[in-house]
Amino acid sequence: MKMKPYLRPRVNGVNKLWMFTEGFGSYLSDMGEHSLRMEEFPGTEDYRGAETFIRRQIDSGYPVPYLMLRHKKAYYKDFVWHWFLCYGYEERRDGMWITVATYGKASIFRLKDLWDTGYEEKGGLIGLGIDPEKRKQ
């Protein structure tokens, strides 16, 4: 309930990356936290860019909030119009596989498959990190 005033759903929910970064950023600011930086990586970007983005985030010790709006494959129906958290990856011969958490359980997906939703309207990723110039002493 603490987050509701900051991440209040609109008619279509929290369906834009900026809604998350602005809302969560306002919450952090109100709590006196100014060193966390957030970076938006839109779902319209290339799959290879998403791979690099996730690898960099996870290797730096940060999970990746992931928004998926739609997907043509019924396999991903539980992840449609949904925010979930990517917290791991594995490099395999057929590409990067990511581990995500939602609904209290982990799932593993091939990123290329998940990223290629088949729709123009896409979500994206949020990068997190500490701004060294604003880090609390």
Side-chain angles (χ1 to χ4, degrees):
M1 294 308 289
K2 283 184 180 183
M3 294 306 295
K4 198 166 190 171
Y6 300 97
L7 290 175
R8 67 184 183 288
R10 279 55 163 208
V11 172
N12 291 319
V14 179
N15 66 335
K16 305 285 186 219
L17 298 177
W18 66 264
M19 291 178 181
F20 181 93
T21 57
E22 279 186 14
F24 190 47
S26 293
Y27 168 77
L28 291 171
S29 181
D30 287 353
M31 297 298 115
E33 174 55 60
H34 302 284
S35 62
L36 188 71
R37 65 158 180 76
M38 288 180 275
E39 175 186 357
E40 299 173 7
F41 187 88
T44 53
E45 294 290 332
D46 178 70
Y47 152 74
R48 292 286 181 200
E51 213 177 45
T52 300
F53 188 88
I54 289 172
R55 187 181 300 109
R56 183 188 71 205
Q57 286 297 124
I58 301 296
D59 289 352
S60 294
Y62 295 98
V64 182
Y66 192 130
L67 170 63
M68 188 169 74
L69 297 176
R70 304 170 78 193
H71 207 290
K72 289 204 174 190
K73 292 184 179 179
Y75 180 77
Y76 298 112
K77 69 182 182 332
D78 291 338
F79 291 83
V80 167
W81 222 263
H82 189 62
W83 283 93
F84 48 95
L85 196 62
C86 173
Y87 65 91
Y89 73 89
E90 180 183 349
E91 304 283 356
R92 298 183 187 175
R93 264 197 228 164
D94 59 348
M96 178 186 278
W97 287 70
I98 61 172
T99 305
V100 303
T102 192
Y103 305 119
K105 67 175 192 162
S107 299
I108 299 174
F109 300 122
R110 184 173 172 230
L111 179 61
K112 187 171 185 173
D113 239 16
L114 189 66
W115 195 253
D116 183 16
T117 66
Y119 288 98
E120 189 173 321
E121 186 176 32
K122 301 177 187 287
L125 309 169
I126 304 290
L128 304 171
I130 299 296
D131 185 338
E133 293 184 21
K134 295 182 181 176
R135 179 174 278 202
K136 290 183 179 181
Q137 299 300 327

